[in-house]
Amino acid sequence: MSGPLLASGQARFRTWLPTRIFGGAGSAGKAARIAADTGIRKAILVSDRGLEAAARTLAEALGPLHACTFLDVEPDTGVEIIDRATELARRHSADGVVSLGGGSVMDTAKGVAAALKTEGSVRPLIGTGTMKGKTAAPHLGIPTTAGAGSEVTCAAVIRDGAAKLVFWDDALYPAAAILDPLLTLKLPARLTAATGMDALTHAVEAVHSLSSGPLTDALALHAVSLISGSLREAVHLPGNPDARMSMLVASNLAGQAISNAFLGSVHALAHSVGAHCRVHHGTANAILLPHVMRMNLELNPEFCAPRYAAVGRALGVPHGSPEELSLRAVQRIGALIREVDLPSRLRDVNVPPGSGALLAEGAMADISHRTNPVPMTRELFEQLAERAW
C-alpha cells in the first residue's frame, strides 16, 4: 500500500496567492464593483471576436468604468497584438484592465497591464523578474475556459516571431478573478477537452516540479481529483453547470500551484510545438504529458514514483505500491485523453515527421523545463518528440 504524499521536515518553500477570487453562477454581473475595489477607474476590456456579444454585455455591466474594448486577440498572442491594445488603452486614459476569455486573452491583458506602467512596447519586459519590484496596472480576470488558470498566475506566454516566450513576474498576478460557470456553458467539446487537459498538465507538472511544496501539492492534487471527476461530463454533457464550475475551480487551483511550483518538460516542448506547428496548447500538452511522465519515471524513479503515485490516488486508480500507482496514473491519463476524444500522437495534429531537432531546440530555450525532475538535454527532447510522433 502507498500512503499519502507527506511534507518533509526539511522542506523549504515559498507560496504566494495574492489574487482575490469570486465565484458563482452570474458572478460576472458584479464585475464593476470588483474592478472598482481593485483600484480601476477606467478599464480597457480585452477579449476576442468570438466573445464579442459577451464582451458587449460585460462592457454594459462595467458602466462608467468601461473606457474602451479591444477584441483583436489571436491564439498564441504576440508582441504586436499587446502593443496595439496598450496604445488603445493609453488613448482612452485607461488605468486598469478587465479580461474576458481564455489563456491568450489573459496573456494579452497581463502584457497590457505591465506595459501601461511604461511608455513603450511590452517587448523589453518579456523575461523573468524584469519588473524589478514595479507594479502592473490592476487587472480583473474573468475566464471563459477552464484550462490555463491565467486569472491567478504570474505568467504570460507571448509570441515574438517564431518564438513563444515566457513573461514571468510577480507583478503579473491579476488583482482579482471571477469564476462564473455560465460563461463556459457554450464552449465547444473539443476546446473543453483541450483546455481541461491543459489544467491537468499544470497540476501534474506542479506535483513533479523540483520547486513543489506541501501547499502547491495540496492545490495541484485537488485539481487532479476535480478534473478526474468532471472533465468527461463537461465535454459530453456541456450544459451541466456543476461540471463546468468544478473545471473552473480545478483550473484555478492548478494555476495557483504552477505560479509557485512552476512547470516542467511538457510545457517546454508544448510551447515549441505550438510555436512551430500552431497546435493548440492544451492539445499539445495532452499528447506529450504521458510521454514526459514515463521518461521522468525511467530516469528519476526515486523522486517521481511517490509523486506520480499521489497523482494516481487523486485520479482514483486502484491501490498498490508507489511504482504500481505511478504507472497506473500514466495509463489513466492516457485513457482520459481517449475518453474526451483528443488526439494522442503528434502526427495526428499535422506535426511533420523528422521535426524532433527543431522542436527540441525551441524546448531547450524555454525556461519551463528548469524545474523538471530530470535535467533536460536537446537529445532527450528529441527522444520525447519521436516517442510522441
Side-chain angles (χ1 to χ4, degrees), residues 60-91:
E60 293 171 358
L62 289 171
L65 269 65
H66 177 247
C68 56
T69 297
F70 183 85
L71 296 175
D72 292 334
V73 176
E74 299 174 359
D76 297 328
T77 191
V79 168
E80 293 78 10
I81 292 171
I82 293 171
D83 285 349
R84 284 171 49 207
T86 304
E87 286 307 310
L88 178 66
R90 288 174 179 146
R91 288 200 304 271

Side-chain angles (χ1 to χ4, degrees), residues 144-191:
T144 60
T145 63
S150 289
E151 72 279 1
V152 286
T153 71
C154 61
V157 179
I158 301 171
R159 184 166 42 83
D160 192 5
K164 290 180 78 171
L165 306 175
V166 177
F167 183 8
W168 188 284
D169 195 287
D170 283 349
L172 296 187
Y173 278 110
I178 294 175
L179 307 182
D180 187 340
L182 301 184
L183 296 175
T184 69
L185 294 180
K186 294 182 180 179
L187 195 67
R190 185 65 173 264
L191 195 53

Side-chain angles (χ1 to χ4, degrees), residues 195-208:
T195 54
M197 285 306 302
D198 189 20
L200 181 61
T201 304
H202 288 166
V204 173
E205 292 214 289
V207 171
H208 77 207

Side-chain angles (χ1 to χ4, degrees), residues 95-106:
D95 63 358
V97 187
V98 176
S99 59
L100 176 73
S104 291
V105 166
M106 295 207 182

Side-chain angles (χ1 to χ4, degrees), residues 100-379:
L100 176 73
S104 291
V105 166
M106 295 207 182
D107 286 351
T108 301
K110 289 175 182 177
V112 172
L116 276 177
K117 292 290 189 171
T118 72
E119 295 181 355
S121 168
V122 73
R123 182 176 278 111
L125 299 176
I126 299 172
T128 303
T130 57
M131 298 292 284
K132 301 186 184 304
K134 296 178 182 177
T135 60
H139 173 199
L140 167 61
I142 308 175
T144 60
T145 63
S150 289
E151 72 279 1
V152 286
T153 71
C154 61
V157 179
I158 301 171
R159 184 166 42 83
D160 192 5
K164 290 180 78 171
L165 306 175
V166 177
F167 183 8
W168 188 284
D169 195 287
D170 283 349
L172 296 187
Y173 278 110
I178 294 175
L179 307 182
D180 187 340
L182 301 184
L183 296 175
T184 69
L185 294 180
K186 294 182 180 179
L187 195 67
R190 185 65 173 264
L191 195 53
T192 299
T195 54
M197 285 306 302
D198 189 20
L200 181 61
T201 304
H202 288 166
V204 173
E205 292 214 289
V207 171
H208 77 207
S209 168
L210 294 177
S211 295
S212 61
L215 300 183
T216 58
D217 287 343
L219 292 165
L221 291 170
H222 189 47
V224 171
S225 180
L226 287 171
I227 293 165
S228 177
S230 303
L231 181 56
R232 285 177 296 272
E233 189 155 6
V235 170
H236 298 299
L237 296 172
N240 184 323
D242 294 336
R244 293 292 190 175
M245 190 65 189
S246 292
M247 287 304 302
L248 275 174
V249 171
S251 172
N252 187 280
L253 293 173
Q256 293 184 66
I258 62 169
S259 268
N260 290 275
F262 206 46
L263 293 161
S265 296
V266 182
H267 271 73
L269 192 52
H271 287 156
S272 187
V273 170
H276 290 293
C277 305
R278 303 310 292 266
V279 177
H280 183 275
H281 178 62
T283 301
N285 278 338
I287 292 170
L288 296 169
L289 177 59
H291 297 283
V292 169
M293 292 177 72
R294 288 191 186 95
M295 179 175 282
N296 286 342
L297 275 170
E298 291 168 12
L299 299 181
N300 192 353
E302 183 178 1
F303 181 85
C304 292
R307 296 197 153 269
Y308 290 159
V311 171
R313 287 190 293 274
L315 289 166
V317 302
H319 294 297
S321 68
E323 293 74 19
E324 291 168 334
L325 278 171
S326 61
L327 291 172
R328 289 172 188 162
V330 180
Q331 294 165 355
R332 186 70 199 91
I333 288 171
L336 180 60
I337 293 167
R338 293 189 295 273
E339 289 164 6
V340 295
D341 301 323
L342 285 177
S344 59
R345 312 296 304 185
L346 289 176
R347 65 173 72 99
D348 299 333
V349 290
N350 300 317
V351 173
S355 298
L358 177 65
L359 298 177
E361 182 180 0
M364 282 301 296
D366 191 293
I367 64 172
S368 301
H369 70 81
R370 294 180 186 174
T371 47
N372 193 71
V374 171
M376 296 303 295
T377 64
R378 197 178 307 271
E379 292 73 23

